[in-house]
Amino acid sequence: METTVAAPGASASCESEITRLPEDLLLASLARAGPVAACRAAAVCQAFHAAADTDALWACFLPHDLPPFADKELSPPPPSKKELFMRLSDGPVLLADGLTSMCLHRETGALCYMLSARKLSIALADSFRTPAHCRWIPITGSCRFSEAVELRHYRWLEIGAKIDSMMLSQHTTYAAYIVYKVEENRWHERFTSIFGASKFPKERHDGWMEGEMGGFHNDEGEDGEVSISFRTLPYAKIGLVALGIEIRPKGLLSTSIAGKRVAIWPAFRAPCHLPLLADGEVLQPLASMKALFLRLLDGPVLLADGLTSSWLDKETGGICYMLSARKLSIAWGDNPTYWHWIPITGFRFSEAAELQKAKWLEIRGNIDSKMLSQHTTYSAYIVYMISIDYYGLRALKTFVSLGGRNKSTGHVCLVDGYNYSEHWQVMREYLPEDTHFPQDRGGGGMMEAELGEFHISEGDNGEVSISLMDTFSSKCGLVVMGIEIRPKKQGV
């Protein structure tokens, strides 16, 4: 009985104290807490509830200058500032130009925009400006726009977008995302990966894909245009459907990943030697193994040699590496008769190696076993693209060894048409039984093919050697990005 009587009394006393606060101070406290916290505070007591419904509070969460909306987008008009905020944070509304949509980030009140494909600048090579190569197609569903652009066949492409920085929220770090689909079974599709090594495309709730193009910070008083663009390498590509570019606050780790951080830490399989990071990769020195773990879990970092990146596998806690093309030993790689070094954008490394024509193909990568996680089975993958005029990239030999022993040998086919063409499915039977076939890297335009696997046990000491080799026929059209080493998934 004492507990039952005391609780209301305590609540009344608490509410009595709150009501003694000046209204301005109460509103300022809720405004600093943010929209979500203000809604939760409304359930605490009557004073908070009353303050949480006032226009004065919700005006703090709304932008000072909202852009003009399309006709009937807010019909009937929201009766209060709170209702307006809720409407704008529930989903995108179309702006007056009919080519842009806007919404508010519910947790922060920051402005988010989507620029439709019609709003973008799309540049194609002159010979590809025909309906056979590029056309506008109608779209249906939850999207606010009625059209998307289908790039049916192209070699060179540049897509750009601009937005006035004054339309964005101040003191906010933004990221830009291209929203798109890739037509199924169009295996010639080769648009350049616009995503960094940690920025693989993700599926959205609306069924489209998105890939991060980059980020920027909009500070107080910034004035000017934000320019966003990407361009492809000159290889044939088919089947890209672009909906537009979305600009929204760059968030922290998603809820699912953030929830895993604590669970993965005990499983972190630390290497014997910690990698040295490149200057500027972290804002402050990593003082402990756990600090390194948290940084690597966030995504790839560049190592001190500038030719290797490293990150953490979120499922196993094992450390992963990507050896750039410049880090590899490529036979005749410095002879322009056989190989060209070409610049690349949107990738962690700045160069790729393009095979012109050669009979002798040998690509080798090495890594110290002490840099890898113990008690872990790894797979090595070549990461690459191929041009439309390729040839000779079938049944190449692969070798993986640890300390000169425990060799794993096999074959790899770098042509992904074997997964789609019925004719090639028949030809596939003539390849060696141990042949690995390529996989698309999340729809980002690059492919990977497994070269072999190896196991790191406690006390293993020596160099892991990974190689791809063929000397029997001429080859052309291979663009090597690097070799990736990551824990082998269970059941794969």
Side-chain angles (χ1 to χ4, degrees), residues 44-86:
V44 172
C45 65
Q46 184 60 37
F48 276 151
H49 181 81
D53 277 339
T54 61
D55 278 355
L57 174 64
W58 289 94
C60 298
F61 302 140
L62 288 168
H64 295 299
D65 296 313
L66 286 171
F69 301 112
D71 291 342
K72 299 182 180 180
E73 277 299 288
L74 295 179
S75 180
S80 66
K81 298 287 188 183
K82 181 178 180 179
E83 291 297 325
L84 176 60
F85 181 92
M86 294 302 177

Side-chain angles (χ1 to χ4, degrees), residues 2-159:
E2 292 179 354
T3 303
T4 306
V5 173
S11 177
S13 175
C14 175
E15 181 165 348
S16 177
E17 291 297 321
I18 291 174
T19 57
R20 293 172 58 186
L21 292 174
E23 183 179 355
D24 290 347
L25 181 57
L26 189 60
L27 288 175
S29 301
L30 292 176
R32 292 179 65 87
V36 175
C39 290
R40 291 172 179 166
V44 172
C45 65
Q46 184 60 37
F48 276 151
H49 181 81
D53 277 339
T54 61
D55 278 355
L57 174 64
W58 289 94
C60 298
F61 302 140
L62 288 168
H64 295 299
D65 296 313
L66 286 171
F69 301 112
D71 291 342
K72 299 182 180 180
E73 277 299 288
L74 295 179
S75 180
S80 66
K81 298 287 188 183
K82 181 178 180 179
E83 291 297 325
L84 176 60
F85 181 92
M86 294 302 177
R87 173 62 187 88
L88 295 178
S89 61
D90 276 343
V93 295
L94 202 60
L95 299 192
D97 64 0
L99 304 177
T100 310
S101 65
M102 186 219 81
C103 66
L104 295 180
H105 190 250
R106 175 157 289 187
E107 294 187 7
T108 65
L111 284 155
C112 312
Y113 291 92
M114 174 79 165
L115 311 179
S116 68
R118 284 285 188 188
K119 186 81 170 178
L120 307 180
S121 169
I122 301 176
L124 289 167
D126 291 340
S127 59
F128 289 84
R129 293 179 179 274
T130 68
H133 300 95
C134 174
R135 66 174 182 173
W136 292 94
I137 59 174
I139 54 174
T140 57
S142 59
C143 178
R144 295 314 312 269
F145 308 123
S146 59
E147 287 182 302
V149 61
E150 181 184 18
L151 302 165
R152 308 180 72 187
H153 184 211
Y154 58 98
R155 291 181 65 87
W156 180 87
L157 168 71
E158 183 172 3
I159 298 178

Side-chain angles (χ1 to χ4, degrees), residues 354-373:
E354 180 183 20
L355 177 61
Q356 300 303 297
K357 183 179 179 181
K359 185 175 181 180
W360 188 292
L361 173 67
E362 185 176 3
I363 301 172
R364 187 184 306 274
N366 298 302
I367 189 169
D368 191 334
S369 62
K370 291 182 178 179
M371 294 177 64
L372 300 167
S373 299

Side-chain angles (χ1 to χ4, degrees), residues 480-492:
V480 179
M481 314 300 291
I483 289 179
E484 189 170 284
I485 303 162
R486 62 179 190 257
K488 186 176 181 68
K489 303 299 183 184
Q490 294 183 358
V492 177

